[in-house]
Amino acid sequence: MAEESPVLVSLVEEFVSGLQDSKAKDTAAGLKNGEFTVLQLVEALGPSLTSTQPQTRARGVKLLSEVLQECYEDLTQKEVEVLLSFYENRLKDHYVTTPPVLQGLRTLTHCPTLPPGATVSILKSLFQDVHVQSLLLADRACVYKMLINVMDTREAELKGLGADFVFGFVQSMDGERDPRNLLLAFQIAKRIIHRGYSLGKFAEELFEVTSCYFPIDFTPPPNDPHGITREELIQELREVLTGTPKFAEFLLPLIIEKLDSDVQSAKLDSLQTLAACVAWYEHKDLAGFLEGLWASLRREVFQTSSERIESAGLAALTAITSCLSRSVLSSDSEDALSIFLEMVLNDCKHHLCEPDLKLVWPTAKLLQAACSASNRASHIIVAAVMPSLIEQYNSKNQCSHRRTLLEVMQRFVQSVKSSESSENEELVLSAVCPSLCSVTFAALSETNGSLQVTAMSVLISLARQAGLLSNSQIELAVDHLARLVLSDEDDTISLAVISCAGGLAELHPTVFITNMIPRIKKVIFSESIQQDGDSAQHTQPAVRQRCLSVLAAVSIKPSVAQESTPVLLEVLGAAHSGELGFSSEEAVLACSSLKTIAERVEDTEDSGRCFHDVIVPRLLSLALQAALKGEISSAHHSPLTQEAVLSTMVGVISTACSRLQPTLAGQTAVRFVSLFLDGDVSFLPGNSFPSQIKLLANHGDSWRQSQMVCLLMGCVCSLPRTAAVPQMERLLSELEEMSCTCSHVMSYTSAAKCFAGLLNKIPAGDFLDSRLQKTMTRILSELNSADSSVRMQAFTLMIWVAKALLLRYHPTCAALTDKLFSLLDDADLGPVAADGFSLLMSDSADVLSRACHADVRIMYRQRFFSENSAKLVQGFNAAPQEKKPNYLKALSNIVNKLPKQVQVTELPALLSLLLEALTYPDQGVQLSTLSCLEPVIADPPPALIQQLEALVVRLLPLTSAPNMNVKIASLRCIHALSRFPEHEVLPFRARVLRALARPLDDKKRLVRREAVQARGEWFLLGSPGGR
Amino acid sequence: MSGGTQLENANPVIFERSGERLQTAADEDEDVHDPIDDREIFDLIRSINDPEHPLSLEELNVVEQVRVKVNDAESNVGVEFTPTIPHCSMATLIGLSIKVKLLRSLPDRFKIDVHITPGTHASEDAVNKQLADKERVAAALENSSLLEVVNQCLSTRSV
C-alpha cells in the first residue's frame, strides 16, 4: 500500500470538513502534477466515505467527482472500472449523496477508456435506483446531459438495451417542468426517434410523455437570462412528435382535438405540426383520420378571421394531399387520393356556384391548395372544377359574378402543378385550354374594365404554363392586346395591358416582333393626318403615349429591343424636325421608354452594341442638330432643346453607359470627350455639322449649346470605374471654367455635376489634391466677394463638389461643409444653403449614385450627421433671431434623410431644437419638422417619451394652424402618438380628444379625415376592447 | 370566434367595396370650403367591422351610400342600415356601433339619427327606439363588455 501524503490528507480534510470548495482545484492540480494518484486520493477519502454522516459522505464523493472532472482523460481502464463500480454502488446511498454521484458518473461517461458494457450497467443502475424527477433542476439536467452524451458516443451499446432504454428515459422525464430541461429531454427523444432506437411497446408511452406539452404555452420571463424562446420549444417538440409514423395514431386525434381550441396560437401550432408530420406519413397512417382532419381544416378556413391560420390550414391541406399522392397504387385497394379529393369536392364544390357569397373564396383557396399538391391532384381537381366554372361564366350575365369566376379560374391555372418528368404526358390544362381561351378572349372584348384586367391576368398565367398555348392562340392574344392599346382609354386597363404585354413578350418574343411592333409603329406615324375631327385630336396623344409605353414594356429580350428602339428614335427624329405634330411630352416619353429599355433589356453583347453603335450616337446627333438649329432659325424650336427632354435623354445615356462592357465603355468615353473638347463629330450620323463646334467654351448667350454638357455628364460620370476618361486635366479645367462663369442655370449646374461626378472617381493622390486645391481657392474667392456676379454659380459648384467628396470620405469635405454652415448666416445665400443640406443627404438621380458606379461609402449620412450636428446646434444658438429658421430648416433637411435607426439614437440631442422648430411660424420649417417627427413618433425612443408633455403642447395648436398641410401633418403625428405605451399617453387622452373636436369641423375635407382617424384611435385608447 | 360554434349566417352575400374617394383639385385648395356630404359620412361608417364576420359593413351591404342623408347647414345626419337577415340578433349592436362612430367623428353641432331600413328586421321598432334613446345609448356605453364589442367593431383591423 502506498504511503499517504500528508498534503493530500489535509486537502481532503479541508474540503470535506472545512467546506472549502477551492481545495478541489488544488487536489486536481496535485493529481495532474503526479504528486499523488487517484488510488491515494480514494484511500485518503476513506474515512469520509465511510462516515456515518450522509453529509460527510456526500462531501467526500463531491471532492472525488470534482477532481475527476479535471483529469478524467488520464484514467486507465482499470481505474475507470473500479470507480464505476464504486459510483454505481453509491447510487443506492442516501439521497444527499446522489447529486455528486451523478456528476461523477457523467464525467466517467466522457472517459476515452470507458470499458465496453459499462454504459449499459450505468444506465441500468441509474434507471433502477434514481427517481430523476425528485432531483433538483441542475441534477436533472446532469442526467439528461449524460444521456445525450452516451447516445452520441455509445449508440450501439444503448441499442442493445432495447426498449428498456426508452422506458427508462420515459420514466426519467415524466413530469419535467423546467423549459431548460425540456429542451434537453426533447433532444433525447428526438435522437431516440431519428436514430432508430427500438421503441418496442413503449411508443405510446414516449408519445404521451412528450405530447402532454403540446401545444407549447410558454412565455419567457422578462429579461430572460436563459434565452429560451417559445419558438425554440415549439420547434424541438414538433420534431419529436412528427418524427415517426408510429406516433400517427396518437398524434392525429390530438391535433383534431386541439384544432377545436379557442386559443389562436394552439390552432396555428396544430396546423403547422399537421403539415410537418404528414410529410413522413404514408396513406395507411392517415387513413382513419382523413375525414376528421378535413372537417377541421374546412372549418378553420371557412370561419377564421386570421390570415395566418388560414394559410397554415391551406398548407396542411396541401401536405395531406401530397402525402396521399405519394402512396403507391395497388390493384386491389382503392385510390386513396381520388377518394379523399372526392370527399373534398363533394363538400365544397357547390360553393363555387355562388360567386356572390362569402364562401366562394375560401372554397377556391382550399381546392387550389389541394390542386397545387401534385400533378395527379391537379388533374383530378381541374377536371372536376374547371368545366363547371367555364359553364357558369357563360351562363351568368352580371359582370361582378363573371369577374369573380374569372379570378377563381386564374388562381386555378396558377396553382396547377405540372409534372416534372415526362414531356409527352398530357398537360393538366390541355383539355380545358380551348374553352378557357375563348372565355378569356370573350372577357377581353367586354366593355367592363375590371373583367378585362382579370382576363389579362388569366392570359399571363396560361402563358406561363409551358407548352400550353398554341401559336395561333398567342397571335390572337397579341391581337387583343394591340387592340386594347390602341383603343382603350382607362388608366387601370392600359397599365394592365402594358404589364401583360411585357410578360407575354418575355415568353414569346417573335409574335411581338412580327405583329405588335409593326402595328404600333404604323399607328404612331400614320394617324396624325386625320386631325380635323374634334375627337381625333383628343385621343391621339393618349394613344401615342400608350404605344410608347408598350414599346418599352415589351423590350426585355434583345431581339425585341432591336425592333422597338428604332421606332422610338424615329419618334425623336420626327419630334426634332417638327413632323407629324409630336409634342415635347411625347419626346420625353420616348426618351423615358428608351431609358426603361436600357434598364431592363437582358444584358448581352448585342444589346450593349446596339446602344453603343446606334442609339447613343443618334441621340447625341439629334440633340446637337437641335442646339445648332436653335441658334440660327427662329421659326421652329426643336423640343430637343428643352430641359425636360434633355434630362430624360441624360437618363438614357447614363443607364446605357453604366452597363457597357469595358472595351465599349472606353470607346464611348473617347468619342464623347473628343466631341466636347475638340468638336470631333465624325462618329455622329447625319454629317451636316459645321467643323468648328466648341461646346464647352463660354458662348455668352448661346445656352442651347452650352447646356449640352449634361449629355457629357450622362456619359462620363456613369462609366464603370475601369474605363479611363481621356484628357482628364483639360476636361476638368473647362468644366470648372464653365460652371463658374456661365449664366445659364442648367448649363452651369450640369457642368458642376459633371465636374463632381468625375472628381468622385479620381483615385486618391497628388493629382486629385492639387486639382481640389485650385478649385477650392476659386470657389472661396468668388463666395467671399459679396458683390461677385457669380456667387450662385460658385455655390452650386461648391455643393456638388462637397457631395462628391462626402460620398468617398475625402478629408477636404470638412472645409467645404464648414463654409456651407457659415453661409447659413449669409443674407442672399442663407435659404439656398439650408436647402443645400437636402441635396447633400439625398440620393441624386442622374449622377453620383451607386448605379453610376460612383464611389459611395456606406453610412456616409450617419458620418456626416455625427460630425456636424454639434456645429449646427452651436450655430443655431449663436445666430441672430432672423437667421434661425435657416438652421432649423437645415437640421430638418439632414434629419429627414437619416436612416430610421440613426434618427432614433441621435434624436435625444436634437429633440429640444426640433420642438423649438415647431413653434416657429415659418410654414416650411413646421412642415419639414413634422415630417421628421412623424416616423420617430411611430417608434418612439425613450427620450421622446420623456418630452411627451412638451410635444403634445406644441402639436395640439398646430391642428388649427392656417395652413392645411401643417394641420394634416400635425394630426398624423397626434395619431401616431396614440400608439405610445398606454400608461404614458393615457393622461393626455381627455385633452387630446377635446382639442381634436375642433378640426372635426374644419372646412377642408382632408383635414377632417385625418382628425377623424386620429380621434378614433385616441378614443380606443384605454377603453375596453380598444387596445 | 371559437372552433365549435356555428355562425347565425355562415355564408352571407358579399358586395364589392367602393374605391377611395377621388381627390379633386378643390380638395387641395386652401380657399375652397368642402361641405360635409353623404359620401363623407358613408366613408366614416363603411369600414366598421361586422361583429361576426371578418368583413366590413359595406361588404355585407348593411350600409349603403343611398341610405345616408346629411344636411351640413342644418347639422343633421340620418343613417339607415339593413341587417343581413330579418332575425339578426346583432342589429342593435351594429346600430350602436354606427352611432358611436358618428358621435366620435362629427362635430358636436350634428344631430345623429340611426335606424333600421324600414321592413328589413323583425323587431325593427324596438331596435330603433333603443338607438334613439340618448340615455339608453349612454347607459349601454357604460357597460364595459358592450363597449368592448363596439370598440372592436370600430378598431382598424390589424391582421
Side-chain angles (χ1 to χ4, degrees), chain A residues 964 967-968 999-1009, chain B residues 21-38 40 72-73 107 109-110:
Chain A
M964 70 182 278
K967 281 189 270 196
I968 290 174
L1000 285 183
D1001 211 2
D1002 198 89
K1003 65 174 181 172
K1004 294 310 297 175
R1005 188 171 292 123
L1006 294 176
V1007 177
R1008 294 197 295 263
R1009 197 173 66 189
Chain B
R21 180 182 193 134
L22 290 178
Q23 275 196 26
T24 58
D27 282 337
E28 285 165 28
D29 185 348
E30 288 275 2
D31 302 326
V32 179
H33 180 101
D34 311 324
I36 296 180
D37 58 10
D38 292 354
E40 189 171 339
D72 193 13
R109 60 186 168 91
F110 275 91

Side-chain angles (χ1 to χ4, degrees), chain A residues 736 739-742 748 752 775 778-784 788-801 816 823 829:
Chain A
E736 183 191 304
S739 67
C740 286
T741 54
C742 185
Y748 73 72
T775 313
R778 178 154 188 189
I779 290 175
L780 293 179
S781 75
E782 296 288 359
L783 281 176
N784 290 338
S788 163
S789 59
V790 290
R791 284 189 88 205
M792 191 60 209
Q793 279 85 330
F795 174 79
T796 309
L797 182 61
M798 179 184 92
I799 199 100
W800 281 103
V801 170
L816 290 172
L823 283 177
L829 292 175

